[in-house]
Amino acid sequence: MRDREAVWWCAGWLAAVAAGAAGLGLAGLAPTERALTALAVGSLPAMVGLFLNRAHRDGARRALILGWALCAALAAVMTGGVGGPLAFWLLSPMAVALAVGRGRSLAFGAATSLGAVGLAAMATLGLQIPPPRPDLAFGLSLIGLVSSALAFGAGQVTLQRRDELEALRRDRREARLRQALDEQPYQLLGVHPDGRLTAVWGASPPGLATPAAAGRLLGDLAAPADRPRLVEALRRTLAEGTAEVAFVPDDTPDGWLTLSLRRTWDGRAVGALRDGRPERERMAGLEQARADAEAQNAGKSRFLANMSHELRTPLNAIMGFSDIMKQQLFGPLSDRYAEYAELIHDSGTHLLELINDVLDMSKIEAERFELSREEFDARDAVSGVLRLMRGQADRAGVQLRGLLPKEDLDVVADRRALKQIVLNLISNALKFTPHGGAVTVTIREEDHHLELIVADTGVGISREDLVRLGRPYEQAGDAGQRAAGTGLGLSLVRAFAELHGGRMLIESRLGEGTTVTVRMPVLHGAELPAREPEPVA
C-alpha cells in the first residue's frame, strides 16, 4: 500500500477486534473456541496488511483484497454464516479497496465482497454450523459492526485524502505549466478555424499596441493592409498543417511581427507570435551584403574587362612591330637585335594570352560570355592546337601526340572555346611534365558525347591541390610553376565545358601524372558509331 492511511486502517481494524475481544472477556462471556478462531481469522488480513504497507503493485493489492474476502467468509461461516454476528465482515473487501486503491481496485473489491457473500451462503447451507449463544452473538455483532464502521470510515477518509493530494499535485502541475507558458519568450495563441483567438499565453511582443485576447479575431492583430495575409496563412495552416507569415502590427507602422502557425489534432490551430524586427534587420543586412558583394564583383569584372581591352590595343601594336622586325621586312638586323625582336614577340604573345584569359573569365563571371556555336569537325580544331604547341613541347623535351578518329567528328560548338580548352589543357600538361615525359591528347565520341582526354606523365597533383583546382586564380605546384600563369587555365576549361552543358573531371596522383577529361553533349546529327582512335604524328 502506498499511503500511511492504509496502515492506520489495518491498525484500526485490529484495535477494534482486540477491543471487542477484551470487552467480551471483561463482560464474563466465555467465548467458544469457534468464536475466538473466527476473530483470529478475521484479524489475520489486517496483520498481513501491516507488513505489506510498502507494496506498490496491483497484484499485491488484489491478493490482499482476495485474502481478506476469504478470511471474512471463513469467520462468518464459523459464527453462523450470512445471518451470523460477523456477517458484516463480508463487506470488508470493499473497505480494503477504498483504503488501498481506486478505479479497478474498487470494482475488484466490490466483486470480491459479492463473492465472499456467496461463498459464505453456500457454506452455511452445506455445513449447518450452529450460531453462537445469544450473549456471545451480541458481543460478536458489536465487534463486527464497530470494526466494519471503522473500516469503511477509514477507507473513505483515505480515499478522500488521496483525492485531495492528487488534486493538489494536479493544481501544482497546472500552475507550473501556466507559469512556463507565461514566461516563455513568445506569445502563444489558440486559434479557432473561424479566426477567433481561443486562448493567449505569454507577454505581448514589442510592437503590438493592442494586446491579443481571447475572443479577438486573429486578423485584428495586423494592420488593415496585412490582414488578408493572416487570413490566408490560417487557411493554409488548416489545409497543409503549417504556415508562417510576417506582418505589420495594428497601430504600430514601424513594427514587424512573425507568426508561426501549426494545425492541432482537433482541427484548430496554435500559433507562436514573436518580434520579427531582429530577423528582418538581419535578413536586410544579408541582402545588402549580397548586393554589395555582387556590385563589387561586377565592378571588378568590368574593370578587368576594360583594362584587358586597354592593354590589348597597344600590345597588338607591339607584337605587330616586333613581328616586322623579326621578319626584317625593312632591312637586315644584327643577330642581337633579331634575338631581341624574337623575345619581344614571344613575351607579347604570352602576355596577350594572359589578358585574353582574364577577359574571358571576367565575361563568364559577369554572365556576359556568349557562345558562338557553329558546325565544324572537332579534329581540325584539335589538330591546329597540336601543331601550335608542337614547338613548345619540343623545346621542353616532352613528346606530344594526338589520338584522333579517322572519320569526321562533327560538332555544334564554339570553335574558339574548344580550341581554348585544348590549348589550356596541353599548356598545363607541358608545364607539369618533366623532360623526357609524354603528353597524349585523345578526342572521341563516347555515349553520344564529345570526349576530350589530355593525359601526361608529369609530377601529378596532391589531394589538397586537386580539391582547389578548377576555381579561378587557384594554382598547384611549386612557386616557379605558379609564377608561370594566372591560375585561370583550368577554371576556363571548366567554365567553357559547363557553358556547353558538359563537365570536367581531373584524376591525378603524385608522381604518376594527371588525366583531365572533358565531356560535352555537342555532337551533331544522329548517333555515331564507335571509332578507334588513330595516332597523329
Side-chain angles (χ1 to χ4, degrees), residues 171-191:
D171 292 342
R172 288 177 178 175
R173 288 195 299 266
E174 184 177 350
R176 286 196 295 268
L177 177 59
R178 288 186 176 275
Q179 183 179 4
L181 290 175
D182 290 337
E183 293 178 354
Q184 50 86 34
Y186 301 147
Q187 186 173 48
L188 303 182
L189 308 176
V191 187

Side-chain angles (χ1 to χ4, degrees), residues 31-248:
T32 63
E33 184 178 353
R34 280 187 318 210
L36 291 175
T37 304
L39 291 176
V41 170
S43 303
L44 180 62
M47 290 186 291
V48 174
L50 288 175
F51 290 103
L52 295 180
N53 64 84
R54 295 187 179 274
H56 291 179
R57 297 182 179 178
D58 290 339
R61 297 174 184 173
R62 293 195 176 190
L64 180 61
I65 294 173
L66 185 59
W68 212 299
L70 293 175
C71 291
L74 181 58
V77 170
M78 294 174 64
T79 57
V82 293
L86 294 182
F88 294 104
W89 281 6
L90 296 175
L91 302 180
S92 59
M94 295 179 60
V96 176
L98 286 174
V100 302
R102 60 175 59 195
R104 288 182 296 180
S105 295
L106 296 178
F108 183 75
T112 307
S113 293
L114 291 176
V117 172
L119 180 62
M122 288 188 295
T124 301
L125 294 176
L127 298 177
Q128 298 293 328
I129 297 176
R133 302 188 312 272
D135 53 353
L136 185 59
F138 174 78
L140 293 176
S141 298
L142 184 61
I143 292 174
L145 284 172
V146 172
S147 59
S148 297
L150 289 175
F152 275 99
Q156 184 63 33
V157 170
T158 301
L159 183 60
Q160 182 177 358
R161 176 60 177 166
R162 188 182 294 113
D163 289 340
E164 292 176 353
L165 291 176
E166 182 63 28
L168 181 60
R169 286 194 292 267
R170 184 171 58 252
D171 292 342
R172 288 177 178 175
R173 288 195 299 266
E174 184 177 350
R176 286 196 295 268
L177 177 59
R178 288 186 176 275
Q179 183 179 4
L181 290 175
D182 290 337
E183 293 178 354
Q184 50 86 34
Y186 301 147
Q187 186 173 48
L188 303 182
L189 308 176
V191 187
H192 193 272
D194 63 4
R196 288 182 294 104
L197 300 181
T198 58
V200 179
W201 301 278
S204 297
L208 193 61
T210 304
R216 190 180 180 190
L217 290 177
L218 178 64
D220 292 344
L221 301 178
D226 286 347
R227 289 175 183 174
R229 300 175 59 195
L230 284 180
V231 175
E232 174 60 22
L234 178 60
R235 185 201 64 78
R236 194 165 64 253
T237 299
L238 298 177
E240 302 175 5
T242 59
E244 184 169 286
V245 61
F247 60 92
V248 176

Side-chain angles (χ1 to χ4, degrees), residues 335 382 399 429:
D335 293 341
V382 176
Q399 180 185 5

Side-chain angles (χ1 to χ4, degrees), residues 429-478:
L430 292 176
K431 183 169 66 173
F432 288 96
T433 302
H435 185 84
V439 175
T440 303
V441 180
T442 303
I443 184 172
R444 64 188 181 186
E445 182 264 336
E446 184 72 20
D447 295 334
H448 313 299
H449 285 68
L450 175 66
E451 188 171 83
L452 171 67
I453 305 172
V454 178
D456 64 65
T457 60
V459 297
I461 305 172
S462 66
R463 184 183 300 272
E464 294 77 11
D465 289 338
L466 196 60
V467 175
R468 297 183 294 103
L469 289 181
R471 297 199 295 261
Y473 310 105
E474 293 287 352
Q475 294 176 281
D478 55 27

Side-chain angles (χ1 to χ4, degrees), residues 278-293:
E279 183 178 357
R280 186 184 189 188
E281 293 172 358
R282 183 172 63 255
M283 294 301 298
L286 292 175
E287 183 64 24
Q288 184 61 42
R290 186 186 66 82
D292 293 343

Side-chain angles (χ1 to χ4, degrees), residues 382-403:
V382 176
S383 298
V385 177
L386 288 173
R387 289 192 299 269
L388 180 64
M389 299 300 295
R390 187 78 61 189
Q392 181 178 341
D394 293 339
R395 289 191 296 271
V398 176
Q399 180 185 5
L400 176 63
R401 60 176 186 155
L403 297 177

